[in-house]
Amino acid sequence: MTTQLHASTIDPRDPDVRSDAERLASRLDGGSPVEAALRSMLNDVATGSRVVILRVEDEVTPSQAAELLGVTRQYVDRLCEDEVLPFRRLPESRHRRIRVQDVVDVATERERRRTGGDAIRAALGA
């Protein structure tokens, strides 16, 4: 099942957008995980950061996956070729689409490995 990415853009450079985000964030005072996530996102917008929200079932291009992972598109191509990052090809095309959930899974694994490496280096005093 393929879903259409829903994109709407708000400009965090716009003072009104930043002010609205700050006001809305201050209204969220509950401790639920949903409120915490929304508050964090709104605080990011209020300080001028760009925020992207995607559903895990959405699909992205290799370039978009690279941007989400903070790597090059060529590295994403290598992850796909090495079967680290699952993908599908568009019908009768060489173009790839990658589920956001798979990108998140790869990012989580990369972070887990990085954290583990840092812990090992700290234990060794390096």
Side-chain angles (χ1 to χ4, degrees):
M1 174 178 136
T2 303
T3 59
Q4 185 69 22
L5 284 176
H6 172 73
S8 62
T9 303
I10 56 173
D11 185 357
R13 295 172 297 184
D14 181 337
D16 291 334
V17 168
R18 292 171 68 166
S19 174
D20 287 347
E22 186 174 8
R23 183 178 43 76
L24 289 170
S26 70
R27 287 182 172 175
L28 297 172
D29 56 6
S32 78
V34 172
E35 285 182 302
L38 286 172
R39 188 172 37 255
S40 175
M41 180 207 54
L42 289 167
N43 284 331
D44 286 345
V45 172
T47 59
S49 296
R50 294 177 58 207
V51 175
V52 176
I53 300 172
L54 298 168
R55 293 181 303 259
V56 294
E57 66 270 6
D58 286 340
E59 292 182 322
V60 294
T61 66
S63 293
Q64 291 167 325
E67 187 174 343
L68 292 171
L69 290 170
V71 299
T72 65
R73 186 197 48 77
Q74 291 80 3
Y75 185 70
V76 168
D77 289 341
R78 192 169 340 131
L79 291 174
C80 291
E81 290 165 12
D82 293 345
E83 298 180 358
V84 172
L85 187 57
F87 67 93
R88 74 175 182 90
R89 290 204 186 272
L90 295 178
E92 300 182 33
S93 173
R94 293 182 40 146
H95 296 283
R96 297 175 175 159
R97 292 297 179 265
I98 304 164
R99 284 183 340 119
V100 169
Q101 180 63 60
D102 294 325
V103 175
V104 169
D105 291 345
V106 166
T108 301
E109 178 61 18
R110 290 184 69 206
E111 183 60 29
R112 186 187 67 77
R113 288 180 183 209
R114 186 175 304 123
T115 302
D118 291 345
I120 290 169
R121 282 187 286 286
L124 296 173

